[in-house]
Amino acid sequence: EGTSDADDGANANANALPDRFALDPRVVEAATALGLKRIVSVPVNHCAQSFALALESTPLVPGDETTTWKVVYSGDTRPCASLTAASKNATVLIHEATFEDDLHEDAVMKRHSTTSEAIQCGTDAGVYRTILTHFSQRYPKAPVFDDGNFGRTGFGEAENADEKKDGDAAKKDPETTTSRVGVAFDLMRVDFTSLPRLPTLNPKIRHLFPDPEQKFSENGGEDASREF
């Protein structure tokens, strides 16, 4: 529990915490070896002792803070302010999206998140890429989302009101909320150089994992195997 920071200043602050939050030297050593500036566990709204994890790097170019990265993993959770705050301006937020939006009551009862709630967390936190994961095995299909529910992000938008009203200026910003969202699947690996292209995989993933009911209907009520 608590926070591990590889630099001296943060260690000094951490040492002021109660003994039960004392840092394990092995965690500090591991963070330093991995080039991490900070490892933060964040309480989230699920069962007891549930935490999200935030990892922040030291600058890839010494002294240049613009070359750092930040990755946040939600774990199981309902949407909560602590996770949104921890995800502020993260490079990547890996957020559970156990239920589709029409199963919101189930999500609340079981303390999980819906697709839209996960995406909204990334939007509110100003995250560069949100990766959805932890889909319920009862619903084996890729999550569906569109910008009609979210609108545009703040990334790359005009800085003043007049520019925002300019239709041409808006067209210059191709980034919408869902164009910053990716979908995870088993054994998936993503490196930072692939992040700009990650959302372009979504149509392919939906093709591999279609809605079984829709597929059944399109085939006149006959089950059809997928060809790859």
Side-chain angles (χ1 to χ4, degrees):
E1 297 180 7
T3 301
S4 171
D5 195 312
D7 62 37
D8 293 339
N11 281 333
N13 292 333
N15 289 335
L17 294 172
D19 288 342
R20 66 191 182 94
F21 289 109
L23 296 177
D24 187 326
R26 294 171 296 181
V27 175
V28 177
E29 181 180 356
T32 303
L34 293 170
L36 297 177
K37 177 182 180 181
R38 187 173 292 112
I39 302 176
V40 182
S41 58
V42 182
V44 294
N45 183 7
H46 190 58
C47 61
Q49 302 300 313
S50 293
F51 294 88
L53 184 67
L55 307 176
E56 298 181 46
S57 75
T58 55
L60 303 179
V61 177
D64 185 356
E65 292 296 325
T66 65
T67 63
T68 61
W69 53 259
K70 178 178 176 181
V71 174
V72 180
Y73 178 63
S74 73
D76 291 344
T77 184
R78 287 289 299 146
C80 55
S82 58
L83 178 58
T84 301
S87 304
K88 183 71 174 178
N89 297 325
T91 312
V92 177
L93 167 62
I94 305 170
H95 200 300
E96 71 121 289
T98 305
F99 291 100
E100 291 188 328
D101 292 346
D102 58 359
L103 296 170
H104 180 264
E105 291 184 2
D106 287 344
V108 173
M109 180 176 63
K110 298 178 181 179
R111 296 187 179 180
H112 285 291
S113 298
T114 66
T115 300
S116 290
E117 288 172 333
I119 294 174
Q120 192 63 55
C121 177
T123 300
D124 292 344
V127 172
Y128 175 60
R129 288 288 184 264
T130 299
I131 301 179
L132 305 178
T133 188
H134 197 265
F135 315 120
S136 173
Q137 294 302 304
R138 293 176 59 192
Y139 313 100
K141 61 182 180 180
V144 177
F145 46 85
D146 61 70
D147 283 301
N149 297 328
F150 303 100
R152 306 183 74 80
T153 68
F155 292 92
E157 289 187 346
E159 294 183 358
N160 59 62
D162 291 334
E163 289 179 340
K164 289 183 179 180
K165 294 177 182 178
D166 189 332
D168 291 336
K171 291 178 181 178
K172 293 178 182 178
D173 172 25
E175 293 277 58
T176 56
T177 298
T178 58
S179 70
R180 294 184 170 272
V181 176
V183 177
F185 51 88
D186 289 347
L187 305 181
M188 179 179 181
R189 297 179 65 182
V190 179
D191 60 49
F192 287 116
T193 60
S194 300
L195 288 177
R197 304 191 303 275
L198 181 62
T200 66
L201 292 175
N202 292 337
K204 288 81 171 177
I205 293 174
R206 290 188 185 120
H207 178 71
L208 289 173
F209 302 98
D211 184 335
E213 294 182 2
Q214 180 179 355
K215 192 71 174 178
F216 186 78
S217 176
E218 290 175 353
N219 286 280
E222 296 181 3
D223 192 12
S225 60
R226 286 168 284 172
E227 296 182 2
F228 300 96

